[in-house]
Amino acid sequence: MIKASILNGNKDKPKCSMYQCGLAVRDALQKYSQVLDISYYEIGDDRDIHSSINSADVVMVNYHPATIPINLDFLVPKKMGIIWDMMKEPWSFSGYKGFDFIGIPAPNMVSDDPKVAILNRIISERPFITKSIDVENPTISTFGFPAEYKDMLAIVEAINKEFDTATFRIKYAMGDHTPGSYGSFPQKIFTECYNAAKPGIKVEFIQQYMEMNDLISWLEESDLNIFLYGPERDQDHEVRMPTSVDQAIASHRPLALSDSRCVDHILEWIPYSYPNWTLRTLMCTAPLVEKVADAWSPKAFAEQIDGFLWNIL
């Protein structure tokens, strides 16, 4: 067995998608790894580092410079960074340059660097919900970090165009790392969407933070989960892949995406995007969403990590 320590940041600020990604890595490897003996640690600064970490063969760091802003040079074992926010080049966003190798959950990225593991996303395991789709009075939902590049008004316009009655749910919960300047932005978006909706279209706004299971349960109530990312997201973040869509996939409900590079890895599996296809058509995508969830399961992720570390250590 390979002794592996997992370091996750945000011990004191857990309302963060990067923290949730670290939990997903831990859960996948603890449940399914066949070659790793896992120890898990949450850290906030250098004082939180346990001496026992250095007894491992490898330290896997769920890394983001905003959530683990510490120097890791003192770590004795080999260091593997799991890098969720990624630019064009595999090493470009790692920030901390002391990793011996990195794992990138970007299924459609290509690298011939033997120190780079191209990994699947991790889709939470949930039982398939056999719930019918209401195509005449649907519940359509979106959520995530509040930002201009998530075109809420475009969603309202699409709903107005195709439906006489529908409910559009927007969930913008402030995370622990959300800049204070965003304080009034979600309410501004809700007001704009509310005013733009035609009679018969109900707009609901939720600012409650939800734990992962509660969030996916909320998404399971939808007839369609929708994320229309504008081109400015691609320009700002290159190939950064949104974790919010991972959680929507875990709900197994139909999915509508814009034709954005940040979701190319999903459009390879679900080759239908808005506005190339209508929302009504995209409400038939549940079987394809199910295939993605199966392919990017925690077990599949653990098998990839096992194979990479077994070969490289």
Side-chain angles (χ1 to χ4, degrees):
M1 297 289 284
I2 298 171
K3 291 184 66 176
S5 294
I6 297 175
L7 302 190
N8 196 12
N10 287 359
K11 182 182 72 171
D12 302 317
K13 295 182 177 181
K15 295 180 180 179
C16 167
S17 62
M18 291 299 100
Y19 175 79
Q20 297 297 329
C21 287
L23 295 183
V25 171
R26 176 201 66 185
D27 293 346
L29 296 181
Q30 284 185 338
K31 185 173 182 180
Y32 290 114
S33 176
Q34 300 297 305
V35 302
L36 301 181
D37 179 12
I38 297 292
S39 297
Y40 174 78
Y41 304 89
E42 294 186 356
I43 58 178
D45 56 41
D46 291 353
R47 294 168 297 177
D48 293 324
I49 299 296
H50 300 264
S51 60
S52 57
I53 292 175
N54 278 333
S55 66
D57 300 307
V58 61
V59 179
M60 304 175 63
V61 184
N62 187 63
Y63 187 78
H64 190 286
T67 61
I68 302 190
I70 62 174
N71 191 319
L72 303 172
D73 289 343
F74 67 93
L75 291 172
V76 175
K78 295 290 187 180
K79 295 180 286 292
M80 179 178 185
I82 305 297
I83 314 296
W84 295 88
D85 265 358
M86 180 52 56
M87 305 296 275
K88 280 185 175 180
E89 298 299 325
W91 293 91
S92 61
F93 194 79
S94 61
Y96 171 70
K97 300 301 182 182
F99 292 121
D100 297 288
F101 27 84
I102 57 176
I104 308 171
N108 62 339
M109 182 174 278
V110 177
S111 175
D112 58 4
D113 188 335
K115 294 182 179 180
V116 174
I118 303 301
L119 305 170
N120 292 335
R121 308 295 287 181
I122 306 176
I123 306 301
S124 299
E125 293 176 308
R126 304 277 291 195
F128 183 76
I129 303 298
T130 55
K131 178 177 178 291
S132 61
I133 306 297
D134 189 341
V135 296
E136 298 302 327
N137 183 24
T139 295
I140 299 173
S141 305
T142 195
F143 79 101
F145 184 86
E148 292 282 2
Y149 58 73
K150 299 176 179 180
D151 199 341
M152 297 297 106
L153 284 177
I155 298 177
V156 174
E157 291 169 3
I159 295 171
N160 284 344
K161 181 179 179 180
E162 294 192 39
F163 302 99
D164 293 324
T165 58
T167 298
F168 177 39
R169 304 188 303 171
I170 307 170
K171 195 183 88 64
Y172 274 164
M174 292 300 184
D176 285 325
H177 292 271
T178 305
S181 58
Y182 279 84
S184 61
F185 181 73
Q187 186 62 47
K188 172 180 175 289
I189 292 297
F190 168 70
T191 301
E192 291 177 352
C193 290
Y194 181 86
N195 292 334
K198 71 180 184 181
I201 305 301
K202 182 179 179 182
V203 179
E204 295 181 354
F205 181 54
I206 302 169
Q207 281 193 282
Q208 171 192 356
Y209 178 82
M210 296 180 183
E211 298 295 336
M212 187 61 65
N213 283 336
D214 294 334
L215 172 60
I216 297 175
S217 294
W218 182 79
L219 292 165
E220 287 173 345
E221 298 171 358
S222 304
D223 296 298
L224 181 68
N225 293 311
I226 186 167
F227 304 88
L228 301 187
Y229 296 107
E232 56 269 39
R233 179 185 173 100
D234 293 331
Q235 294 170 6
D236 288 344
H237 302 294
E238 299 294 345
V239 294
R240 181 185 174 193
M241 298 176 178
T243 57
S244 52
V245 182
D246 296 343
Q247 289 139 23
I249 292 171
S251 74
H252 303 291
R253 302 299 284 166
L255 184 62
L257 301 172
S258 57
D259 188 12
S260 169
R261 282 188 296 132
C262 70
V263 291
D264 275 351
H265 60 301
I266 300 169
L267 293 175
E268 290 181 359
W269 289 82
I270 308 173
Y272 309 102
S273 60
Y274 186 85
N276 299 315
W277 299 82
T278 66
L279 298 187
R280 287 179 179 269
T281 300
L282 294 171
M283 292 169 76
C284 299
T285 56
L288 298 176
V289 173
E290 178 79 4
K291 288 183 179 180
V292 181
D294 288 343
W296 297 345
S297 68
K299 183 178 180 180
F301 180 87
E303 290 172 349
Q304 289 178 314
I305 291 287
D306 281 359
F308 178 77
L309 291 178
W310 187 261
N311 289 326
I312 204 167
L313 289 177

